[in-house]
Amino acid sequence: MKRILVTGGAGFIGTHLCERLLQEGNEVICLDNFFTGSRRNVQPFLANPRFELMRHDIVDPILLEVDQIYNLACPASPVHYQANPIKTIKTNVLGIMNMLGLAKRVKARILQASTSEVYGDPLQHPQTESYWGNVNPIGPRSNYDEGKRVAETLMMDYHRQNGVDIRIVRIFNTYGPKMLENDGRVVSNFVCQALRGKDLTVYGNGEQTRSFCYVSDLVEGMVRMMNQDGFTGPVNLGNPGEFTMNELAEKVLALTGSKSSIVYRPLPENDPQRRRPDISLAKEKLGWAPVMPLQEGLVPTIEHFREVVAASLLEKD
Ligand code: NAD
Ligand code: UDP
């Protein structure tokens, strides 16, 4: 049993990770400022004596005795990270410095939740970890993209200079139950629009691609990365299945049985055209590959949003 800190633990991925770590018998400290995460997400764990919930912002230092740190704290969707871009940079830069300082002091191993956004609008396809990316440093997404890139730099420098035991995972688009309805992500938007009988809003011509990883597959990869020795990463974690947004819209319509139509809206600025992980390194080093196809992972995701939509309709009555 280990004592494990999960920052951003009350968010979408964090909640699934906390659940998994508790199931394995660990003590989990979930630290969150509740910007996009919620107490409701972790409510089922509160009765567990091995679970502790702390309201704290990682921009401020903290001292805790822990063996491992998973640093997930950071809003992940464009609507939320662009709501207060300077705060997002502070979370990515000052926040990781605080967590690295903590890891150094208590000799904890630290895993950083980095992102495929470090590749920007990639010129190499699919993306391998050796690709340095094509990122606009002054665009509306750069607070997040460049923030995450600096966080990787800090991880590597604390490792080289101070011997901190680090792990970096680059997460590609992840979906599943407990995604936020209002985060503007394509899966949550399409599913909620379909369930509410509203038009599905495809941005651009819908031929841009993404690769969607089911959240339990991602969590498996993160835990494997944290618990292996001798490989710091960065390593891509994602599902290499590549779909256009038009294909995703059709799948959502078929699985929900919705009669909604598809409408086309302008493509947001700096929206990457293609994204697909090369996961050869994760296969080699971690023996990891995702097992949940999009078609199957959408089913529990749709069920989750059915409950969310039904609850919001009841509130309106
Ligand atoms: P999320 O928004 O649901 O979770 C982020 C959590 O961090 C929330 O609970 C939020 O309240 C908390 N938080 C934000 N700023 C904080 C701060 N300063 N101090 C403390 N807590 C703070 O997002 P998610 O999808 O669960 O993403 C988790 C991590 O994974 C993020 O770091 C994100 O960048 C990364 N990631 C996610 C995806 C994805 O597809 N979901 C893809 C790539 C990377
Ligand atoms: N998108 C869309 N309709 C929506 C929301 C998003 O067509 O209602 C598109 C978006 O332009 C992008 C893709 O879906 O090309 C994935 O967007 P998301 O925000 O989920 O992830 P990211 O762009 O961060 O990969």
Side-chain angles (χ1 to χ4, degrees):
M1 182 180 82
K2 293 196 169 64
R3 183 178 293 176
I4 304 176
L5 173 63
V6 181
T7 78
F12 160 50
I13 297 172
T15 305
H16 289 274
L17 179 62
C18 287
E19 185 174 29
R20 162 75 186 258
L21 297 172
L22 287 169
Q23 276 164 3
E24 287 176 349
N26 299 293
E27 267 181 39
V28 174
I29 302 174
C30 167
L31 185 155
D32 207 294
N33 71 354
F34 302 120
F35 175 48
T36 49
S38 69
R39 276 172 203 285
R40 198 171 348 108
N41 275 345
V42 293
Q43 184 72 32
F45 315 147
L46 293 177
N48 188 328
R50 287 183 284 103
F51 182 78
E52 198 178 330
L53 178 61
M54 289 181 74
R55 178 192 283 269
H56 180 80
D57 195 306
I58 62 161
V59 166
D60 298 317
I62 190 164
L63 182 60
L64 295 163
E65 288 296 332
V66 290
D67 305 306
Q68 294 184 340
I69 304 167
Y70 287 87
N71 187 48
L72 274 63
C74 180
S77 66
V79 274
H80 289 125
Y81 69 66
Q82 288 168 359
N84 187 345
I86 296 171
K87 173 71 191 194
T88 304
I89 297 178
K90 284 185 180 172
T91 296
N92 275 323
V93 179
L94 301 179
I96 190 67
M97 284 176 87
N98 286 328
M99 288 305 119
L100 281 161
L102 173 64
K104 178 182 162 192
R105 192 156 165 186
V106 302
K107 298 196 166 33
R109 180 174 289 180
I110 178 167
L111 179 145
Q112 165 68 355
S114 190
T115 168
S116 55
E117 297 281 340
V118 300
Y119 301 121
D121 193 358
L123 304 176
Q124 177 187 303
H125 201 75
Q127 293 84 52
T128 54
E129 292 81 354
S130 57
Y131 177 52
W132 290 354
N134 177 39
V135 178
N136 177 354
I138 56 169
R141 293 173 87 109
S142 39
N143 64 81
Y144 182 78
D145 301 4
E146 297 287 21
K148 288 282 187 181
R149 284 167 69 96
V150 173
E152 288 198 10
T153 309
L154 282 163
M155 290 282 286
M156 292 307 299
D157 284 336
Y158 268 78
H159 175 62
R160 284 186 289 247
Q161 197 174 327
N162 293 321
V164 174
D165 192 10
I166 62 154
R167 302 286 180 273
I168 302 172
V169 295
R170 292 181 177 157
I171 301 170
F172 283 65
N173 297 54
T174 300
Y175 72 101
K178 295 211 164 79
M179 288 183 90
L180 279 180
E181 182 189 354
N182 66 350
D183 71 357
R185 310 301 295 263
V186 68
V187 172
S188 44
N189 272 12
F190 284 0
V191 171
C192 290
Q193 288 163 343
L195 294 175
R196 291 181 190 279
K198 294 188 173 160
D199 293 341
L200 271 61
T201 54
V202 171
Y203 300 159
N205 64 7
E207 288 304 299
Q208 72 273 34
T209 66
R210 291 294 186 275
S211 303
F212 299 100
C213 186
Y214 191 67
V215 64
S216 58
D217 281 335
L218 174 76
V219 165
E220 176 65 32
M222 291 174 84
V223 171
R224 283 193 194 200
M225 181 63 178
M226 178 64 108
N227 292 310
Q228 55 74 41
D229 289 319
F231 170 55
T232 61
V235 67
N236 290 338
L237 293 181
N239 191 322
E242 189 180 359
F243 297 90
T244 67
M245 296 312 102
N246 288 324
E247 287 169 333
L248 178 68
E250 293 297 344
K251 273 189 195 301
V252 169
L253 287 178
L255 287 168
T256 53
S258 169
K259 301 270 179 296
S260 294
S261 311
I262 294 175
V263 295
Y264 290 88
R265 298 279 177 261
L267 193 68
E269 196 179 334
N270 293 150
D271 196 275
Q273 261 307 305
R274 295 185 76 185
R275 199 185 286 135
R276 175 157 75 94
D278 181 319
I279 59 165
S280 314
L281 194 60
K283 281 184 180 157
E284 179 199 326
K285 299 283 189 185
L286 312 176
W288 176 88
V291 294
M292 184 75 104
L294 181 59
Q295 186 83 7
E296 283 175 35
L298 281 174
V299 175
T301 311
I302 289 168
E303 281 320 302
H304 162 76
F305 281 118
R306 239 185 246 290
E307 287 170 24
V308 171
V309 168
S312 75
L313 291 177
L314 273 181
E315 269 170 30
K316 279 189 193 145
D317 282 348

